[in-house]
């Protein structure tokens, strides 16, 4: 899909692909299973041929969760969300493949969103139809990186060991943490390339302090402050500032509000923030963040976040923190 004019020359074909899924039906062994109407958890192994010699092919592995909207004895309508890693065979190369402005690294992150309808043909086999979107991007770690947006129509077969399953804890009580306030402190590291001609990877750091509250079984709300140090901005200033002129500070500070959608120890994170200190105006005055967060213990967590400026990836943040 030509989501920007810079990749319009690459949209010349209809990619085709094959996907194998291994999935498990949750039955209530954890309280959140019932809160989300017993979703399926799975791993998708996907191959797409772009039918374009500039782009080659993509192979990906994506863990996912599939949440049902409507479920009956013979049908299942659900929304599937997944994230993982992808290999793109023909990344950008300034000497040999300069037309591929979509992706400049072989290793990329992938996101998958799909609506699926499964209709039972037999007690164990279902006909699957779906409408989805696959996205591949390296999060500006290497440039150019406009990313691949690949809409898809899906046709397949599902094998169910047990189409009807026993459900326990369908109405599990809300956890004791609902209504309680907590504090998070964290730090992150990331790497980004400034432009295609400068192949150096620059270090990006952040520190965050936030206060949060568990508002219901599925959600945390947060607000916080954070600081950023992007060393690629120093290199950018060195190229554009005339000799003898004092360069502005490239450090930035921001405030944000956020939401965490909870799946047991795992959470889907979304933040929206504003810079309150940014002497060097290198981007929009606001930023967004999407990511996955996992609590290894009640105290320690890790996260992988994508920081965004007006829809364009800024940096992938690898984060570690503590809940106080």
């Amino acid at each position: 899909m030509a989501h920007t004019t810079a990749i319009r020359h690459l949209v010349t074909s209809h990619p085709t692909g094959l996907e194998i899924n291994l999935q498990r039906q949750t039955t209530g062994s954890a309280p959140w299973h019932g809160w989300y109407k017993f979703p399926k958890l799975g791993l998708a192994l996907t191959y797409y041929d772009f039918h374009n010699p500039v782009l080659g092919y993509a192979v990906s592995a994506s863990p996912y969760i599939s949440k049902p909207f409507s479920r009956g004895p013979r049908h299942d309508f659900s929304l599937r969300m997944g994230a993982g890693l992808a290999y793109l065979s023909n990344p950008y190369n300034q000497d040999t493949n300069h037309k591929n402005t979509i992706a400049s690294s072989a290793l990329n992150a992938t996101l998958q969103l799909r609506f699926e309808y499964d209709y039972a043909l037999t007690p164990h086999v279902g006909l699957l139809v779906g409408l989805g979107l696959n996205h591949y991007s390296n999060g500006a770690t290497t440039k150019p990186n406009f990313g691949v947006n690949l809409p898809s129509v899906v046709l397949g077969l599902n094998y169910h060991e047990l189409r009807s399953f026993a459900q326990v804890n369908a109405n599990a009580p809300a956890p004791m943490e609902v209504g309680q306030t907590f504090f998070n402190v964290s730090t992150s590291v990331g790497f980004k390339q400034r432009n295609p001609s400068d192949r150096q990877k620059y270090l990006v750091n952040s520190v965050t302090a936030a206060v949060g509250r568990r508002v219901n079984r599925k959600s945390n709300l947060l607000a916080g402050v954070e600081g950023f140090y992007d060393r690629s901005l120093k290199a950018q200033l060195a190229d554009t500032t005339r000799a003898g002129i004092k360069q502005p500070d490239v450090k930035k500070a921001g405030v944000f509000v956020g939401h965490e959608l909870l799946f047991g120890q795992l959470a889907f994170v979304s933040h929206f923030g504003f810079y309150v200190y940014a002497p060097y105006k290198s981007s929009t005055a606001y930023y967004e963040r999407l990511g996955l967060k996992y609590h290894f213990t009640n105290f320690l967590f890790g996260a992988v976040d994508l920081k965004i400026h007006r829809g364009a990836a800024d940096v992938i943040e690898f984060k570690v923190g503590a809940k106080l």
Side-chain angles (χ1 to χ4, degrees), residues 205-226:
N205 294 108
S206 75
V207 291
T208 303
V211 59
R213 188 175 181 86
R214 180 89 177 247
V215 294
N216 56 42
R217 297 178 299 178
K218 301 179 182 179
S219 296
N220 288 338
L221 295 180
L222 301 98
V225 296
E226 50 195 348

Side-chain angles (χ1 to χ4, degrees), residues 177-227:
E177 292 85 357
V178 171
Q180 294 184 3
T181 300
F182 60 87
F183 298 91
N184 283 348
V185 291
S186 62
T187 184
S188 76
V189 62
F191 297 91
K192 63 185 292 188
Q193 184 176 334
R194 194 160 57 96
N195 54 54
S197 60
D198 182 356
R199 299 187 179 184
Q200 182 175 341
K201 300 293 193 298
Y202 293 92
L203 181 65
V204 182
N205 294 108
S206 75
V207 291
T208 303
V211 59
R213 188 175 181 86
R214 180 89 177 247
V215 294
N216 56 42
R217 297 178 299 178
K218 301 179 182 179
S219 296
N220 288 338
L221 295 180
L222 301 98
V225 296
E226 50 195 348

Side-chain angles (χ1 to χ4, degrees), residues 3-118:
H3 54 277
T4 177
T5 55
I7 67 167
R8 192 163 291 170
H9 64 287
L10 296 171
V11 184
T12 60
S13 60
H14 294 292
T16 56
L18 175 69
E19 183 174 279
I20 298 174
N21 297 293
L22 305 173
Q23 66 183 17
R24 172 180 174 269
Q25 175 64 61
T26 59
T27 58
S29 58
W32 68 270
H33 295 171
W35 301 341
Y36 287 95
K37 298 182 180 180
F38 302 97
K40 294 184 285 288
L41 305 177
L43 175 67
L45 305 175
T46 308
Y47 168 84
Y48 271 106
D49 186 341
F50 291 107
H51 300 295
N52 183 331
V54 175
L55 300 179
Y57 62 86
V59 179
S60 64
S62 308
Y64 66 82
I65 183 170
S66 181
K67 182 187 182 302
F69 289 126
S70 175
R71 177 179 278 158
R74 300 198 66 178
H75 81 276
D76 189 329
F77 176 58
S78 59
L79 171 64
R80 188 171 110 181
M81 298 173 288
L85 294 175
Y87 170 80
L88 273 61
S89 65
N90 290 8
Y92 170 87
N93 184 287
Q94 194 167 358
D95 300 321
T96 61
N97 196 21
H98 65 277
K99 292 184 178 181
N100 185 359
T101 53
I102 282 183
S104 55
S105 64
L107 187 63
N108 291 263
T110 180
L111 301 174
Q112 191 179 73
L113 183 70
R114 180 183 296 177
F115 290 97
E116 292 184 335
Y117 184 78
D118 179 349

